Each structure stands twice: as C-alpha cells, then as structure tokens.
C-alpha cells in the first residue's frame, strides 16, 4: 500500500519563474493538504483540497494556487517565484477523521 | 489563531537516556499529532492523541486536553531517534484544516 508520494524530490528554479509540484495521496484518502517548511521552522499550512475544491487556506498570497483531480491527486502551483519561496513543500493526505499522513516532500531552491 | 509552544527547543542525550518533550497549546483542539522529522526531512506520524495516553514501543504520549498540553516520552533513546519532533494541533471539525505546527524540539542522541 503506497503512502503519499510527491514529485519531483528536488527542484531548482530562478526568480520570476513558475513551478508545479505534484502529490498522490495515500490509498483511500480523499483530502490533500499542502504545507511549506522553511529551513529551521515547522511546516506552515498553505491550503487544503477536498472534492476538487479548496476548502481552507492559510496565510499565503495568491501566487500560490492548487488543484485537485478526480482521482484525488493534487498539484501546487507557485507563480512569480521569490527567493523566500525556497523551502521544503510537504503534501499530506487524510480521510475524514483519520490522522494525516505526509509525503517525503519536494525541496525547492530558488536562485 | 492557535499558538503552539514546544520545549525544550534543543536536547542532547547520550544513547540509552530517557527524555520528555512538552507541547503547550493556547486553545481547545480536536486533533493533536506528534511527528518525527528525520535528518532527511521525512515527517513520520508518531501519535494521533487529542486526549489520553498511548504507547508504541519505547515511545509514549499523554495529552491533557483540559490543561492544554501534551507530553512525548522517549525511553532508552537510540541514535536513530535523532531529528526534530513536532507537535501539531487543529481546531477544525474536518481533519487537516489549518493544522498548526509548533516550532519543534531538535533531539540529538549521541552514541
């Protein structure tokens, strides 16, 4: 039973570019949440998708957007990349009142 | 929003020692989870424990919801226990909504 899978594992971009990160939830999970973890800090909630809609959003600008597909997989898009967007991006999936399970993350570096 | 504090921020132990990590939160919560983030960035579920006590091998956790704190106990520590331990809480009815992480406790276990 595959857990939460994220791709790519590492990514290098330059300022101003756009990036798309992908997440496949754990089998049986229908809810996907995205988090940003800056170096030395705890993860911060970006947004959550359920039934292909954004259900809740954290304190992140509109440059951060997402999508959920009918198979529950999800994408995180970030436009107009800034140096401060360099971070580990974590995807978590869950089903109703069960605990969240996290993927291994995508490490994004902005030059 | 909910504030989460963790103590101590850093902990260095000799292999075989025991330790207690603490998580304080500022409001009532529906969900509390403890995670271990290993040196490779993988975030591993340890406990889902909004209240009560649970044990899993050398690890155990207790949450006293009425007093808004949770404790993680590590007994007979091993070098593989090194990493950052995060407490995360949420108020939302739907799991994963606006999950708030504490700043973490960085544990180093020396051989």
């Amino acid at each position: 039973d595959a857990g939460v899978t994220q791709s790519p594992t590492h990514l290098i971009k330059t300022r101003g570019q756009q990036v798309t990160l992908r997440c496949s939830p754990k089998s049986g999970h229908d809810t996907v949440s995205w988090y940003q973890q800056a170096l030395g800090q705890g993860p911060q909630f970006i947004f959550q998708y359920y039934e292909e809609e954004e259900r809740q959003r954290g304190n992140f600008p509109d440059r951060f957007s997402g999508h959920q597909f009918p198979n529950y997989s999800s994408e995180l898009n970030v436009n107009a990349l800034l140096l401060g967007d360099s971070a580990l991006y974590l995807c978590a999936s869950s089903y109703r009142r069960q605990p969240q399970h996290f993927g291994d993350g995508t490490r994004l570096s902005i030059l | 929003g909910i504030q989460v504090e963790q103590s101590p921020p850093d902990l260095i132990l000799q292999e075989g020692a025991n330790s207690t990590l603490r998580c304080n939160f500022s409001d009532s919560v529906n969900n509390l989870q403890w995670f271990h983030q290993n040196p490779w960035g993988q975030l591993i579920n340890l406990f889902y424990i909004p209240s009560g006590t649970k044990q899993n091998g050398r690890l155990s956790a207790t949450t006293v919801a009425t007093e808004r704190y949770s404790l993680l106990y590590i007994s007979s520590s091993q070098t593989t226990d090194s990493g950052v331990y995060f407490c995360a809480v949420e108020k939302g009815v739907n799991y994963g909504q606006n999950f708030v992480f504490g700043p973490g406790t960085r544990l180093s276990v020396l051989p």
Side-chain angles (χ1 to χ4, degrees), chain A residues 35 37 48 96-97 100 104, chain B residues 37 45 93 95-96 99:
Chain A
Y35 295 81
Q37 186 177 18
Q48 183 184 71
R96 299 195 179 176
R97 299 191 71 78
Q100 291 189 93
D104 290 346
Chain B
Q37 190 166 43
N45 273 308
V93 174
Y95 279 77
F99 216 20

Side-chain angles (χ1 to χ4, degrees), chain B residues 63-77:
Chain B
T63 297
V64 183
T66 53
E67 297 187 23
R68 300 178 185 169
Y69 73 88
S70 183
L71 302 174
L72 177 69
Y73 305 96
I74 304 174
S75 64
S76 304
S77 58

Side-chain angles (χ1 to χ4, degrees), chain A residues 31 33 35 37 40-45 48 55-58 88 90 94-105 107, chain B residues 30-31 33 35 37 39-45 47-48 86 90 92-104 106:
Chain A
T31 302
S33 302
Y35 295 81
Q37 186 177 18
Q41 298 182 18
Q44 285 198 304
F45 176 77
Q48 183 184 71
R55 180 157 69 177
Q56 185 152 342
R57 188 180 185 90
L88 178 67
L90 293 162
S94 57
Y95 176 73
R96 299 195 179 176
R97 299 191 71 78
Q98 295 177 9
Q100 291 189 93
H101 290 258
F102 282 78
D104 290 346
R107 198 167 294 277
Chain B
N30 289 327
N31 181 14
Q33 288 183 243
F35 295 90
Q37 190 166 43
W40 297 270
Q42 295 173 318
L43 202 61
I44 309 298
N45 273 308
F47 293 102
Y48 159 65
F86 289 105
E90 65 177 336
V93 174
N94 297 300
Y95 279 77
Q97 279 191 346
N98 206 10
F99 216 20
V100 178
F101 280 76
R106 183 172 299 275

Side-chain angles (χ1 to χ4, degrees), chain A residues 17-38:
Chain A
Q17 285 190 311
Q18 178 265 344
V19 68
T20 298
L21 310 182
R22 296 177 175 82
C23 173
S24 292
K26 181 179 170 65
S27 177
H29 287 188
D30 59 2
T31 302
V32 173
S33 302
W34 287 91
Y35 295 81
Q36 180 195 65
Q37 186 177 18

